[in-house]
Amino acid sequence: MAMGALLLIAGLLVYLAIIIGLSALLGFGRYLMAKHAGIPHAWLGLVPFGNAYITGLLAERAVYTYTGKKRSLAFWYLIAQCVYVCVYVCDSEMLLV
C-alpha cells in the first residue's frame, strides 16, 4: 500500500511540474509579444489574470490594424475569464457536495 501511495504522489508531482512549466512558457511568450508590441506593463503576461488583459490588448491591436475599428477587447476578455473561473469553481464545488 505504501508503494502505491508513493507512486500516486510522484505522479501528481510530475503532473504539477508539467502544468507549472506550460503556464510559465505561455506567460513568457505573452510577455514577449506584449513587450514587442510596446504594451505598457508587459509583465502582466506572467500573472494569471493579467495574461487575459494582455491577450485582450494584443487582440485590440490586431483588430485595429486589420479593420481600423477600435474595440475594448481587453476589458471584456478579462471579465469573461473571471466569469469562466467563477462558474468552474462553483460547478466543481457542487459536484463535491
Side-chain angles (χ1 to χ4, degrees), residues 23-95:
S23 296
L25 283 174
L26 291 172
F28 188 67
R30 228 174 253 120
Y31 164 75
L32 288 178
M33 287 190 290
K35 189 174 179 183
H36 179 71
I39 293 174
H41 308 296
W43 58 270
L44 284 173
L46 302 169
V47 180
F49 284 97
N51 64 18
Y53 181 71
I54 293 295
T55 302
L57 287 177
L58 291 169
E60 281 179 12
R61 181 180 173 162
V63 167
Y64 182 74
T65 300
Y66 292 113
T67 65
K69 297 177 183 176
K70 288 201 174 238
R71 302 277 189 232
S72 59
L73 299 175
F75 174 73
W76 291 112
Y77 186 66
L78 179 62
I79 296 299
Q81 186 172 9
C82 291
V83 168
Y84 173 76
V85 168
C86 289
V87 168
Y88 182 78
V89 168
C90 290
D91 188 39
S92 63
E93 285 181 4
M94 289 177 65
L95 291 174

Side-chain angles (χ1 to χ4, degrees), residues 14-28:
V14 168
Y15 177 74
L16 185 63
I18 290 171
I19 295 298
I20 290 173
L22 287 175
S23 296
L25 283 174
L26 291 172
F28 188 67

